[in-house]
């Protein structure tokens, strides 16, 4: 096409149209992409500077995601500590409740409830993980939060271990011993015999009987010990019938009464069925050996076990108006009963069974006791429970193993441990709160920094849409004008043809 020669006017207008089209293309690209710098060819300095800013913003965005997950991990641990604190406060309330009662059985049940709380604390601590990271589960769960691209700025959140409440570095709360029960039994026995003292009254002298004289001796053998009574008026001797009755009553497990209508001393025994009681009078001082202590020779009293329907006063170990008390190892009185003429063995068993932490069964004259804690059954009558004649306190004891809440001092020690555990929880919550605050502050800072970097990159590369829109309108006008000018230039050259018309 080099043979074709364009006029300068046409050539200039063509160049103007071409330049305008190029500018239009550039402006259209900016309007389409929103960027005034789309490649290094557009503006190398701005392009590479903006790329560096954008790359850093992207790197920080990736770190921002990790920070967000770290925040959730810390919050999960903080939620766990909040819940554990409530459980520890519940354990404290249980200990305080135990301190308000002296019942050893109730304290044992409180100890069991306390142990249940500790188990729940450990379970809750194990459940406080987030995406496999648990800040309440001890070593191996350290959380590292990175704040910048080269990892030179970071925070390590150290875990605590609450999955084992006994750790001295944790809550230092030990499971309580709940003790161990024990058993015991005692036999209820009864036997009766009578001693004939014909013609005498309670105030009569024993020596008024033809077969009795001062200096005579009455021997009472209970199977273990022997008691000798001397007839006479000297101190310590028995002179009257009532003295004789009183001397028998002074022996453990025996009670005696004199009936002036029948002239008989009735002796009631509560001794063990294996023990035979014998009463014998010698003939020293003129007594008749054949008549013994009662005018009929030696008297033997054999006891036997009582039945469920037997009245308690049929035994030498009980009397009307006796009071039986059931108390635990702390001296807490759980129950009592006043014995009357109608109180039976079955009534006593029912009383025992009504006590929480104590059970009883009656078989073959023996009451078997099963106690969750230590118990004592005592009587105002020292003749109660005379199985071993060396026993003088009239009691039945069950010696169980105490729980760790049995004594006030035990509970107070536990309360001190609980208060220390609460301090530990508050300290751990404070540390987590500080770490959480730090991560959240750095998260906010990183978000602002990312925004700053992106704005800075945009300032270098983003096109001003208003300006580019105005440019496009101006280029379109310029294009129209250039087209008109080109048309006019062509018309000027065509006017030459009119000379050949």
């Amino acid at each position: 096409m080099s043979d074709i020669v364009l006029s300068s006017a046409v050539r200039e207008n063509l160049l103007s149209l071409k330049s305008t089209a190029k500018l239009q293309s550039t402006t259209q690209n900016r309007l389409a992409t929103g960027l005034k710098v789309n490649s290094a060819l557009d503006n190398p300095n701005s392009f590479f500077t903006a790329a560096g800013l954008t790359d850093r913003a992207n790197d920080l965005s990736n770190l921002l995601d990790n920070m967000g997950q770290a925040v959730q991990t810390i919050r999960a641990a903080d939620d766990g500590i909040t819940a554990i604190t409530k459980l520890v406060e519940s354990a404290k309330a249980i200990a305080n409740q135990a301190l308000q009662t002296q019942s050893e059985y109730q304290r044992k049940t409180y100890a069991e409830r306390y142990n249940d709380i500790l188990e729940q604390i450990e379970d809750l601590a194990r459940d406080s993980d987030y995406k496999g990271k648990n800040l309440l589960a001890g070593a191996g769960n350290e959380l590292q939060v990175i704040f910048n691209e080269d990892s030179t700025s970071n925070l390590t959140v150290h875990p605590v271990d609450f999955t084992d409440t006994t750790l001295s570095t944790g809550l230092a709360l030990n499971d309580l011993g709940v003790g161990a029960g024990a058993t015991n039994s005692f036999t209820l026995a009864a036997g009766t015999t009578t001693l004939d003292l014909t013609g005498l009254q309670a105030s009569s002298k024993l020596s008024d009987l033809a077969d009795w004289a001062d200096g005579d001796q009455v021997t009472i053998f209970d199977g273990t010990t022997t008691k000798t009574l001397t007839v006479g008026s000297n101190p310590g001797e028995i002179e009257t019938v009532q003295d004789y009755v009183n001397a028998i009553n002074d022996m453990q497990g025996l009670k005696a009464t004199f009936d002036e209508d029948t002239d008989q001393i009735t002796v009631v025994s509560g001794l063990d069925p294996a023990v035979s009681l014998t009463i014998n009078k010698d003939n020293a001082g003129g007594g008749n050996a054949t008549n013994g202590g009662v005018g009929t020779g030696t008297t033997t009293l054999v006891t036997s076990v009582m039945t469920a329907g037997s009245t308690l006063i049929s035994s030498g170990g009980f009397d009307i108006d006796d009071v039986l008390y059931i108390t635990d190892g702390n001296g807490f009185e759980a129950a009592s009963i006043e014995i009357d003429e109608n109180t039976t063995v079955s009534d006593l068993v029912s009383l025992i069974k009504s006590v929480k932490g104590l059970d009883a069964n009656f078989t073959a004259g023996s009451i078997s006791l099963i106690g969750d804690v230590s118990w004592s059954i005592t009587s105002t009558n020292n003749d109660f429970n005379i199985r071993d004649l060396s026993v003088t306190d009239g009691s039945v004891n069950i010696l169980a193993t105490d729980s760790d809440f049995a004594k006030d001092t035990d509970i107070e020690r536990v309360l001190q441990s609980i208060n220390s555990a609460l301090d530990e929880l508050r300290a751990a919550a404070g540390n987590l709160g500080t770490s959480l605050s730090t991560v959240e502050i750095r998260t906010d800072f990183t978000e602002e920094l990312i925004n700053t970097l992106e704005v800075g990159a945009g300032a270098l590369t983003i096109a001003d849409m208003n300006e580019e829109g105005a440019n496009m309108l101006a280029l379109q006008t310029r294009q129209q004008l250039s087209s008109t000018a080109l048309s006019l230039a062509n018309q000027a050259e065509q006017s030459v043809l009119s000379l050949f018309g």
Side-chain angles (χ1 to χ4, degrees), residues 122-383:
E122 294 175 350
D123 289 344
L124 199 153
R126 283 189 284 269
D127 293 339
S128 296
D129 72 301
Y130 181 83
K131 292 180 64 177
K133 185 73 70 175
N134 190 345
L135 294 174
L136 304 185
N141 286 278
E142 290 77 8
L143 176 66
Q144 188 175 49
V145 189
I146 299 174
F147 298 129
N148 65 358
E149 309 92 303
D150 58 5
S151 302
T152 56
S153 177
N154 57 70
L155 171 69
T156 300
V157 182
H158 297 283
V160 293
D161 193 349
F162 295 155
T163 60
D164 183 353
T165 56
T166 65
L167 295 177
S168 59
T169 55
L171 299 179
L173 296 175
N174 292 310
D175 287 348
L176 298 179
V178 297
T183 61
N184 198 356
S185 64
F186 64 103
T187 300
L188 297 177
T192 303
T193 191
T194 58
L195 309 177
D196 295 322
L197 298 174
T198 305
L200 298 185
Q201 300 297 311
S203 58
S204 300
K205 292 183 178 182
L206 293 171
S207 59
D208 290 344
L209 286 173
D211 298 328
W212 290 69
D214 290 345
D216 287 356
Q217 291 185 333
V218 176
T219 303
I220 304 175
F221 179 62
D222 59 16
T224 302
T225 59
T226 299
K227 183 170 185 178
T228 301
L229 307 175
T230 301
V231 178
S233 58
N234 296 318
E237 296 179 339
I238 57 173
E239 181 177 12
T240 66
V241 172
Q242 190 60 53
D243 291 338
Y244 193 9
V245 170
N246 293 341
I248 295 174
N249 279 325
D250 287 341
M251 296 189 67
Q252 285 189 292
L254 301 179
K255 66 183 179 183
T257 58
F258 180 69
D259 189 336
E260 293 188 342
D261 292 332
T262 62
D263 298 339
Q264 289 181 333
I265 296 176
T266 300
V267 181
V268 180
S269 172
L271 300 177
D272 192 292
V275 175
S276 295
L277 178 73
T278 60
I279 303 175
N280 183 59
K281 175 186 170 294
D282 70 359
N283 64 345
N288 187 342
T290 60
N291 290 332
V294 294
T296 57
T298 300
T299 296
T300 301
L301 189 158
V302 179
T303 58
S304 60
V305 295
M306 300 170 69
T307 65
S310 299
T311 59
L312 294 180
I313 61 171
S314 65
S315 169
F318 302 92
D319 208 346
I320 293 175
D321 296 332
D322 286 354
V323 181
L324 291 178
Y325 299 97
I326 301 178
T327 57
D328 65 18
N330 285 341
F332 173 78
E333 184 182 317
S336 65
I337 185 173
E338 184 175 348
I339 296 171
D340 58 30
E341 66 272 13
N342 298 316
T343 306
T344 64
V345 173
S346 181
D347 294 333
L348 175 57
V349 173
S350 296
L351 176 73
I352 296 171
K353 297 181 85 167
S354 70
V355 176
K356 290 184 177 179
L358 182 61
D359 196 10
N361 293 299
F362 181 71
T363 305
S366 177
I367 297 180
S368 298
L369 301 173
I370 303 172
D372 291 337
V373 295
S374 296
W375 291 101
S376 292
I377 303 177
T378 59
S379 174
T380 54
N381 186 343
N382 283 339
D383 285 339

Side-chain angles (χ1 to χ4, degrees), residues 101-127:
T101 179
Q102 288 299 310
S103 169
E104 192 175 356
Y105 175 74
Q106 286 295 329
R107 289 185 171 188
K108 172 187 174 72
T109 61
Y110 283 131
E112 293 170 346
R113 289 169 55 188
Y114 179 90
N115 287 344
D116 291 340
I117 290 290
L118 295 192
E119 184 177 348
Q120 288 300 317
I121 289 173
E122 294 175 350
D123 289 344
L124 199 153
R126 283 189 284 269
D127 293 339

